[in-house]
Amino acid sequence: MTLAGASSATYAELLEQNRRFLWNPFTQMKDYLADEPVVIERGEGVKLVDANGAEYYDGNSSLWVNVHGHNRAELNEAIAAQLEKVAHSTLLGMANVPALELAERLVELTPARLGKVFYSDSGATAVEIGLKLAFAYWRRIGRPEKNVFVGFEDGYHGDTIGAMSVGGIELFHSEFAPLLFSCERVSFPHAYRFPGSEAECADASLGELETLFDRDAQRIACLVVEPLVQAAAGMRTMPAGFLREVERLCREHDALLFADEVATGFGRTGELFACEHERVEPDLMSLGKGLTGGYLPVAATLVSDAIYDAFYGDFAELKTFFHGHSFTGNQLGCAVALASLDLFERDGLVARVQDSARFLSRRLRAVAALPHVGDVRRRGLMVGIELVADRETKRPFDWRERVGQRVGLRARELGMLTRPLGDVVVLMPPLVTAREDLDAMVGILELAIMDVTGS
Ligand SMILES: *Cc1c(COP(=O)(O)O)cnc(C)c1O
């Protein structure tokens, strides 16, 4: 292998490097290496190009992060311009220009209760920070008995220990159970598998939450929720009005509300933030993924001034929040995040997402009619298509058949990359995706589903 690196390497050489040196995340390496994996070399707009020159639609926005397409001149230039000044300096005990400007923009754009920004570098760290702040907040204001977190079953908030603790995905989290702190969990209002109407499903979850609060409010510090769409659980959508009711119960019982908008933030659901759909004002909000347009790893935890104030005082009071990361407030990341927000404004992108979502909703009817499609769930440009063995009984496929995975592989052969969540096929196109490309993407999924399920 030469020092010239990937650009001169053949596909076979790259695979060999992968086999010998790289451990891919959330990936069974044995299957992966047997399977001629895709090695991406470049991207352009809504497409990615691999080392063999094959082009694919980026059907899940590179794991839900991409917003404006790849290799966008405006974003590239923002990074290059910042690079001419400085790539990174610390935010510990000092500040930098783009981090300040971005903090102001984020506070302006997010719900009014949120007044301060704490940066980090991934969704999981943004969640972790929020959990530590919520926990410490109650101690700072003299109510240390409020130290219990509430999460939703099948929630996903990232892979660090705290984020796993409030998450609830068996397959990912159960092995680590002895390391996790205990949480209260209520069921997510997942109407598709609920024996009753959507309204009854929402009422059942709210009833659980109310019972929990009635019993334990004096111990509950904070409720953590993925607003509107429980993404990793399989793009499960909340019944309308549910989030609002969750907020009401939190207020009534003096619990902090923590909206994890890592997946839903930045236009994905058809508003800039999912909380806006129901005018919900959380006390904490985590942001990541689309924050930099999907370019660089910057995340943020926004908190209310009340939380900030609980940590504000003379040094000797020891109220300081002793937490930070080496790359907190990275300039290149903040610069590209600012350029991304400029593009949202200039292109009227949120309105365009609403328009694209209406088109997608019509276009997905054909998919919903396929014999092994049990449920098509969508909010904005977040789509989950649940495949089932039997539509009538909603009986799932045997998980060992890996139907979702096979649909993903077939879609790849047909020219689109996406990664299923079990047997839920995901479509999460970059927000800028044009109508004809959305149409083509759905067409590929339709065909892939038909080919794999034999219908
Ligand atoms: C992806 C995700 C996270 C974790 O973000 P990472 O950047 O992968 O650490 C947290 N919360 C939600 C809702 C997510 O979808």
Side-chain angles (χ1 to χ4, degrees), residues 63-64 121-125 127 156-159 163 226 229 231-232 260-264 286 288-289 299:
L63 232 296
W64 322 349
D121 41 38
S122 72
T125 54
V127 168
Y156 178 78
H157 302 287
D159 295 327
E226 292 169 79
V229 186
D260 178 1
E261 292 243 17
V262 170
T264 51
S286 47
K289 293 196 168 112

Side-chain angles (χ1 to χ4, degrees), residues 291-454:
L291 170 53
T292 59
Y295 258 54
L296 285 169
V298 174
T301 311
L302 280 88
V303 298
S304 65
D305 286 327
I307 293 175
Y308 176 82
D309 290 344
F311 292 77
Y312 190 87
D314 293 323
F315 184 75
E317 293 178 77
L318 291 178
K319 286 182 167 179
T320 308
F321 183 42
F322 292 106
H323 184 115
H325 300 278
S326 308
F327 287 101
T328 295
N330 173 260
Q331 280 97 322
L332 296 178
C334 291
V336 73
L338 286 165
S340 170
L341 292 175
D342 288 344
L343 284 181
F344 266 99
E345 266 172 43
R346 197 200 71 190
D347 298 351
L349 190 52
V350 173
R352 279 180 53 192
V353 168
Q354 291 167 2
D355 194 49
S356 299
R358 278 189 290 273
F359 170 75
L360 201 54
S361 155
R362 291 194 299 276
R363 181 65 182 82
L364 284 165
R365 281 183 208 146
V367 176
L370 295 175
H372 287 284
V373 170
D375 194 23
V376 176
R377 301 185 278 271
R378 186 195 56 78
R379 241 9 249 257
L381 294 183
M382 270 176 120
V383 181
I385 301 163
E386 181 162 342
L387 305 175
V388 290
D390 185 330
R391 258 161 86 103
E392 292 309 310
T393 62
K394 304 179 182 176
R395 179 168 58 82
F397 284 106
D398 185 332
W399 64 274
R400 289 177 213 84
E401 286 184 45
R402 303 214 291 172
V403 171
Q405 159 95 353
R406 279 157 49 208
V407 169
L409 286 174
R410 182 70 187 124
R412 185 176 108 186
E413 288 168 2
L414 295 169
M416 178 164 81
L417 299 173
T418 184
R419 197 178 150 83
L421 298 156
D423 286 341
V424 178
V425 176
V426 171
L427 178 62
M428 210 131 138
L431 300 190
V432 291
T433 309
R435 228 166 235 233
E436 58 271 24
D437 292 321
L438 288 174
D439 184 48
M441 288 176 174
V442 177
I444 288 174
L445 282 187
E446 221 174 338
L447 198 53
I449 292 169
M450 289 193 290
D451 286 352
V452 170
T453 60

Side-chain angles (χ1 to χ4, degrees), residues 133-263:
L133 289 174
F135 176 81
Y137 166 76
W138 292 109
R139 302 173 83 83
R140 300 299 163 86
I141 66 163
R143 298 186 64 187
E145 72 285 359
K146 281 178 85 71
N147 60 11
V148 172
F149 286 88
V150 182
F152 283 91
E153 275 166 20
D154 300 302
Y156 178 78
H157 302 287
D159 295 327
T160 53
I161 300 290
M164 283 198 294
S165 297
V166 290
I169 298 192
E170 270 294 295
L171 180 65
F172 307 165
H173 302 153
S174 59
E175 179 176 19
F176 301 102
L179 291 178
L180 308 181
F181 59 78
S182 70
C183 271
E184 295 290 346
R185 230 163 243 112
V186 290
S187 46
F188 185 86
H190 182 40
Y192 176 57
R193 293 195 180 276
F194 184 83
S197 71
E198 198 180 53
E200 287 164 344
C201 177
D203 285 347
S205 294
L206 288 171
E208 279 180 46
L209 190 57
E210 202 154 13
T211 306
L212 174 64
F213 273 132
D214 285 342
R215 194 186 68 213
D216 268 343
Q218 69 292 343
R219 289 172 49 236
I220 291 172
C222 178
L223 177 142
V224 189
V225 60
E226 292 169 79
L228 258 51
V229 186
Q230 215 183 23
M235 303 299 163
R236 296 175 175 183
T237 52
M238 283 179 176
F242 181 83
L243 187 64
R244 198 80 201 278
E245 286 300 296
V246 169
E247 179 187 38
R248 183 182 62 76
L249 288 172
C250 286
R251 298 288 162 236
E252 224 174 88
H253 296 279
D254 214 12
L256 297 172
L257 176 62
F258 183 170
D260 178 1
E261 292 243 17
V262 170

Side-chain angles (χ1 to χ4, degrees), residues 30-186:
K30 186 176 177 188
D31 292 347
Y32 170 83
L33 292 166
D35 186 48
E36 304 214 340
V38 171
V39 179
I40 296 300
E41 201 177 53
R42 59 201 164 83
E44 192 66 47
V46 298
K47 291 195 167 170
L48 291 165
V49 183
D50 75 11
N52 291 321
E55 277 188 19
Y56 310 91
Y57 279 119
D58 188 354
N60 70 348
S61 297
S62 295
L63 232 296
W64 322 349
V65 302
N66 193 275
V67 174
H68 309 286
H70 297 280
N71 204 1
R72 252 314 266 259
E74 297 90 335
L75 302 183
N76 296 0
E77 281 156 21
I79 294 174
Q82 179 59 43
L83 200 49
E84 293 288 320
K85 296 175 188 157
V86 61
H88 179 75
S89 62
T90 184
L91 220 58
L92 274 62
M94 59 174 84
N96 73 62
V97 177
L100 290 167
E101 196 181 334
L102 181 61
E104 178 174 358
R105 293 276 287 276
L106 291 176
V107 168
E108 278 169 3
L109 291 169
T110 50
R113 190 190 297 269
L114 300 166
K116 297 289 185 289
V117 176
F118 198 102
Y119 289 114
S120 59
D121 41 38
S122 72
T125 54
V127 168
E128 207 77 24
I129 286 162
L131 298 176
K132 286 173 76 173
L133 289 174
F135 176 81
Y137 166 76
W138 292 109
R139 302 173 83 83
R140 300 299 163 86
I141 66 163
R143 298 186 64 187
E145 72 285 359
K146 281 178 85 71
N147 60 11
V148 172
F149 286 88
V150 182
F152 283 91
E153 275 166 20
D154 300 302
Y156 178 78
H157 302 287
D159 295 327
T160 53
I161 300 290
M164 283 198 294
S165 297
V166 290
I169 298 192
E170 270 294 295
L171 180 65
F172 307 165
H173 302 153
S174 59
E175 179 176 19
F176 301 102
L179 291 178
L180 308 181
F181 59 78
S182 70
C183 271
E184 295 290 346
R185 230 163 243 112
V186 290

Side-chain angles (χ1 to χ4, degrees), residues 258-293:
F258 183 170
D260 178 1
E261 292 243 17
V262 170
T264 51
F266 298 99
R268 185 49 71 182
T269 65
E271 293 290 348
L272 199 54
F273 301 102
C275 285
E276 288 174 39
H277 289 274
E278 301 193 359
R279 293 187 308 285
V280 163
E281 299 243 352
D283 303 283
L284 303 105
M285 181 186 273
S286 47
L287 298 172
K289 293 196 168 112
L291 170 53
T292 59

